[in-house]
Amino acid sequence: MADSPVEQPDGTLRCKRHGLEICGKCCVDYTFMRDIIEEAKSDMPFDDADPEGDPIGGYGGKGEKVPTRRLRCVVCRKDAPHQCSRCHVTYYCGKEDQKKDWKKHKTTCKKANPTEQNRPSVLAIALGGEYDVVDGIADGFFSTIEPSVDIFEAQNPTAAIKGLHHPRVPIAVLFMSSLNPRAEEHVPLLTALIKYAKNERGIIIFGFGFPSFMRANHFQEVFERFGVYWKSYNYRRETFHLNNVKISTQQGINNSSGGDEGEGEGSQALQRLLYKYGQTLPQSFSIKALQVTGVSAEDAVYVGEGDLIDKPKGRVKEKSLVSAAAAITNVGKGRIAYLGDVNSEWMTELLVRAMIGLEPGSPSPDD
């Protein structure tokens, strides 16, 4: 597992152990940071940002101690202080990109509906100096869900806690950086995350930069606080297979126990995921991932070939502990999930959409 990168005077990143931008021993490639630096140097003119009070975001107030609405131009992905004055949904960096996009946008643009203010929201948490790295990894994924949900970003524990406690409760939390369960400033955030998972019927997805930046001992402690005993395991490229457990009926899923119409084999969280999206998720794919071990077979979403008893059908050893590149389980009323993919490849992005409740390409989350 790679250590946290070291920032250079010119803003680029190097691995901590060998001082390399691309390091085969640490399995890291930080060259993407150069694109982020060039984007920041852009001389694109910007008008004033949204007024104080953040009326669109609904969090109230501005500043680093509150979550901020993620606004990116749909054309160039730069910061977007302008929005379409008709639909109030699509954002642009300036008039030039708005003109470029009009031919496409006018086919879907419609007068703003007051209910847009109550659209589902996702809280993305990336703490401290890891934010820029994680943002570069996840930006492509964010662009695919922005039409469906509002994305709010928190770069420090205080802002993250405010986002979790806000009356407009997020349907999902993406935790994308390291988390130290012993650090004084992180302990209240971890407590708030556990409360959210247990009480809000949402989902916390630990992924994107999380597997790269987390220390092994902190990794285990974080999940133990949720009552889940997952440990970091192998980091390597491997072909992983969807855990094709027997699917229960919808009634059985809602009842947790399988219902009168036949029990399923996975946990309620896995059953719910596969019942809705099992046909759209890849049956197998090859990725570089930090696997977790100690995962119940009922919670494993994607596993390696060593944990299969029937490779063609994707059947996993029943009632056993396995290693997984992706896992999901119930915690109280909600769910937590882990994604070991360190590169945010498209297959994993499909899985994140499904965990949040978005069909691939669908305009809005499932009810």
Side-chain angles (χ1 to χ4, degrees):
M1 181 172 12
D3 295 327
S4 298
V6 177
E7 185 174 356
Q8 304 300 302
D10 62 356
T12 58
L13 300 176
R14 300 289 188 275
C15 74
K16 186 175 182 179
R17 297 185 182 183
H18 309 100
L20 298 176
E21 194 169 22
I22 301 176
C23 182
K25 291 184 178 180
C26 293
C27 299
V28 296
D29 182 350
Y30 295 127
T31 55
F32 65 85
M33 194 64 193
R34 295 183 178 274
D35 294 332
I36 297 174
I37 295 170
E38 288 302 314
E39 182 176 341
K41 293 179 180 178
S42 172
D43 59 355
M44 177 70 71
F46 293 101
D47 291 339
D48 291 336
D50 290 313
E52 291 292 331
D54 194 14
I56 297 173
Y59 279 96
K62 278 184 176 277
E64 63 177 13
K65 296 303 182 182
V66 296
T68 55
R69 174 87 175 266
R70 181 186 176 88
L71 304 176
R72 295 295 177 94
C73 175
V74 296
V75 178
C76 68
R77 306 301 303 154
K78 298 182 186 297
D79 289 339
H82 305 285
Q83 62 180 330
C84 173
S85 59
R86 186 164 184 261
C87 69
H88 293 186
V89 171
T90 305
Y91 288 81
Y92 301 97
C93 63
K95 291 183 179 180
E96 289 301 316
D97 276 3
Q98 186 174 16
K99 289 179 181 178
K100 292 178 184 177
D101 189 53
W102 177 243
K103 185 176 181 180
K104 176 183 177 181
H105 179 60
K106 69 180 181 181
T107 62
T108 58
C109 182
K110 59 183 179 180
K111 192 173 181 179
N113 188 319
T115 59
E116 288 293 343
Q117 299 294 324
N118 298 318
R119 290 204 316 161
S121 65
V122 171
L123 178 62
I125 303 174
L127 304 178
E130 298 166 6
Y131 168 79
D132 286 339
V133 178
V134 173
D135 188 61
I137 296 173
D139 184 66
F141 169 70
F142 285 149
S143 68
T144 68
I145 67 171
E146 281 170 336
S148 307
V149 297
D150 289 338
I151 302 172
F152 292 90
E153 297 177 318
Q155 300 179 37
N156 59 74
T158 302
I161 291 171
K162 288 184 177 180
L164 290 166
H165 289 166
H166 194 270
R168 187 182 176 188
V169 180
I171 62 170
V173 175
L174 304 180
F175 201 97
M176 308 187 298
S177 64
S178 61
L179 179 62
N180 185 346
R182 305 175 190 177
E184 182 178 354
E185 66 273 21
H186 287 191
V187 170
L189 172 56
L190 182 54
T191 301
L193 287 167
I194 294 170
K195 182 178 179 181
Y196 168 87
K198 290 184 175 181
N199 299 328
E200 299 298 347
R201 299 185 183 276
I203 182 171
I204 302 173
I205 301 174
F206 293 92
F208 296 99
F210 181 84
S212 297
F213 292 122
M214 282 295 290
R215 295 182 179 180
N217 58 330
H218 292 169
F219 188 106
Q220 181 178 347
E221 286 185 46
V222 166
F223 287 113
E224 284 181 351
R225 289 289 303 275
F226 287 90
V228 177
Y229 299 95
W230 297 343
K231 302 178 182 179
S232 60
Y233 187 49
N234 283 336
Y235 170 75
R236 64 187 179 191
R237 177 171 287 278
E238 185 177 339
T239 298
F240 297 97
H241 302 265
L242 184 64
N243 182 6
N244 285 313
V245 298
K246 179 182 177 182
I247 304 297
S248 175
T249 62
Q250 181 63 60
Q251 178 184 350
I253 295 171
N254 292 337
N255 291 340
S256 300
S257 62
D260 296 331
E261 300 180 41
E263 291 190 11
E265 296 171 347
S267 66
Q268 186 185 16
L270 181 61
Q271 282 279 316
R272 175 179 175 179
L273 180 69
L274 297 181
Y275 182 87
K276 292 185 176 181
Y277 308 111
Q279 298 301 312
T280 59
L281 293 174
Q283 289 299 302
S284 64
F285 57 80
S286 175
I287 58 170
K288 282 185 177 180
L290 175 66
Q291 299 177 59
V292 284
T293 189
V295 179
S296 166
E298 297 181 343
D299 297 330
V301 183
Y302 279 94
V303 300
E305 294 182 1
D307 286 309
L308 295 176
I309 58 174
D310 189 338
K311 181 177 177 181
K313 294 183 179 180
R315 305 288 286 180
V316 177
K317 303 172 184 177
E318 297 180 21
K319 297 181 180 179
S320 62
L321 297 179
V322 301
S323 302
I328 188 170
T329 193
N330 294 96
V331 175
K333 297 178 181 178
R335 296 158 290 150
I336 64 170
Y338 170 77
L339 301 173
D341 178 12
V342 298
N343 295 319
S344 185
E345 299 188 30
W346 68 269
M347 300 81 73
T348 299
E349 292 180 358
L350 287 179
L351 180 56
V352 177
R353 290 180 64 93
M355 288 179 170
I356 293 174
L358 293 169
E359 285 279 7
S362 71
S364 60
D366 286 357
D367 295 332

